[in-house]
Amino acid sequence: MATVRLVHLKAALQWHGGTSSPPPPWSLFRLRSGAFRAFSSTMSPPSKAVVYDEQGPPDTVCKVKELPPVPIKEQDACVRMLASPINPSDINRIEGVYPVRPPVPAVGGYEGVGEVHAVGSAVKGLSPGDWVIPSPPTSGTWQTYVVKEQSLWHRIDKSTPMEYAATITVNPLTALRMLEDFVDLRSGDAVVQNGATSMVGQCIIQLARVRGIRSINIIRDRAGSDEVKQTLKKLGGDEVFIESQLEVKNVKSLLADIPEPALGFNCVGGNAASLVLKFLKRGGTMVTYGGMSKKPITVSTSSFIFKDLSLRGFWLQKWMSSEKAKECREMIDYLLSLTRSGELKYDMELCPFDQFPTALDKALGKLGSQPKQVIKF
Ligand SMILES: NC(=O)c1ccc[n+]([C@@H]2O[C@H](COP(=O)([O-])OP(=O)(O)OC[C@H]3O[C@@H](n4cnc5c(N)ncnc54)[C@H](OP(=O)(O)O)[C@@H]3O)[C@@H](O)[C@H]2O)c1
């Protein structure tokens, strides 16, 4: 233990005094043992953080380090993080393949939930003990303490289950916006999607159901697919197909009483994207928001000429900077209320922070299909 602490301390010192540059943009903090409580109230505790000094394979470049205290300025709130998920985009940021990424060294993570630990002298409307989420989400949530200006924190209802509060922005909000922003859907209409087991996919099923919209769901061929089908149907999915079931000329003949969908969602690419296109009705739109298979989308000439399909894209980070995002916090509160009422749920696994490497391996797909990994600090 003493050796581990020494290593952490060295890292923190390197950070603090090793260069003449200002402290890194993310904020730092404390040992779980409480050994640093003697710091002044205007300083945060030290922070234990998942840091990467360079971009690269996350399981190589990510290290858990202890970072020194930072000042809590008069408008700041210092938040003790409770939980934060490992999302595919977090992995992409660390790999250096995401279009917008923080300068290195950086702390991983982009969303999460925490409890206010201390506030600056001019802060009004936030008090120690409140639960908050960074809104809009920002880089650096994989650490035990985060200091940010109060306006960047959104106070939420503490009766929300912690893991839902930690994950409410990136995926559920994406599902909500994609259902609202592309096609004017009415109750009784249908949507089709691949990657239906993803967190976004599970949210699409349930948010569609809340509006009376039916869903056709495609999952990849994988172990336990029958069980997965049942789970997605229980969430409200009207039809669930594995990809190999759809190698037929007329997929629409597989739909009993579900109308042809005008809107489809693709987070996989390759053949899975072609299957979404196959289901769409003439004039339909496919929205691509992810590329989990890393395979390109191929569209037949006839899809354009005879079906006049439209291909669109969605990126939450861009949407966040739009006019519409002004009401983002109301949307978050709405989604949180659905999690509290049980109308919105999704598969997650809480992982203690000291087992971060295992959670990362699961998120990287090294151990096969896994539920969303949520770090519990
Ligand atoms: N554009 C945006 O603004 C935005 C916002 C949020 C999310 N996203 C993207 O949406 C996608 C889903 O994110 P999430 O957090 O909801 O996912 P998630 O819960 O982490 O689940 C991962 C999903 O990807 C599937 N998958 C993994 N590797 C695959 C492969 N090689 N081929 C096909 N499918 C594979 C998994 O299928 P199994 O269950 O079969 O393993 C599962 O459905 C990601 O690409 C993410 O980056 C984009």
Side-chain angles (χ1 to χ4, degrees), residues 8-9 26 37 51 107 129-130 144 147 156-157 193 201 216 263 295 313 335 363:
H8 285 153
L9 194 59
W26 28 259
R37 283 213 186 103
V51 177
V107 174
D130 286 345
T144 48
V147 176
I156 60 155
D157 186 328
Q193 64 166 338
I216 303 156
L263 179 61
K295 294 198 179 117
L335 291 165

Side-chain angles (χ1 to χ4, degrees), residues 164 197 199 202 231 235 345-349 370-374:
Y164 283 97
T197 51
M199 190 188 278
Q202 294 174 65
T231 307
L235 288 182
K345 43 190 161 193
Y346 32 79
D347 204 13
M348 287 178 277
E349 184 173 72
Q370 297 285 334
K372 172 73 67 196
Q373 298 298 301
V374 181

Side-chain angles (χ1 to χ4, degrees), residues 171 174 197-200 220 222 289 292 314 316 369 372:
N171 294 314
T174 293
T197 51
S198 67
M199 190 188 278
V200 176
R220 58 177 170 168
R222 50 175 264 181
Y289 67 98
M292 292 306 294
F314 178 81
L316 186 70
S369 293
K372 172 73 67 196

Side-chain angles (χ1 to χ4, degrees), residues 115-133:
E115 186 177 81
V116 176
H117 171 77
V119 290
S121 55
V123 169
K124 294 196 173 60
L126 276 186
S127 312
D130 286 345
W131 275 22
V132 289
I133 61 171

Side-chain angles (χ1 to χ4, degrees), residues 223-302:
S225 54
D226 282 343
E227 219 175 292
V228 174
K229 276 185 180 180
Q230 288 318 313
T231 307
L232 295 182
K233 283 193 171 174
K234 267 194 207 146
L235 288 182
D238 293 274
E239 287 289 357
V240 186
F241 299 106
I242 52 174
E243 285 180 33
S244 57
Q245 268 182 290
L246 300 174
E247 298 309 327
V248 294
K249 193 148 195 257
N250 183 7
V251 289
K252 288 165 193 168
S253 65
L254 301 171
L255 301 178
D257 59 340
I258 302 181
E260 281 184 293
L263 179 61
F265 303 112
N266 163 46
C267 72
V268 179
N271 181 53
S274 306
L275 295 175
V276 168
L277 294 172
K278 261 179 156 181
F279 274 107
L280 286 178
K281 73 181 201 194
R282 189 187 303 269
T285 300
M286 179 173 80
V287 180
T288 291
Y289 67 98
M292 292 306 294
S293 73
K294 299 192 166 73
K295 294 198 179 117
I297 299 165
T298 310
V299 186
S300 67
T301 305
S302 61

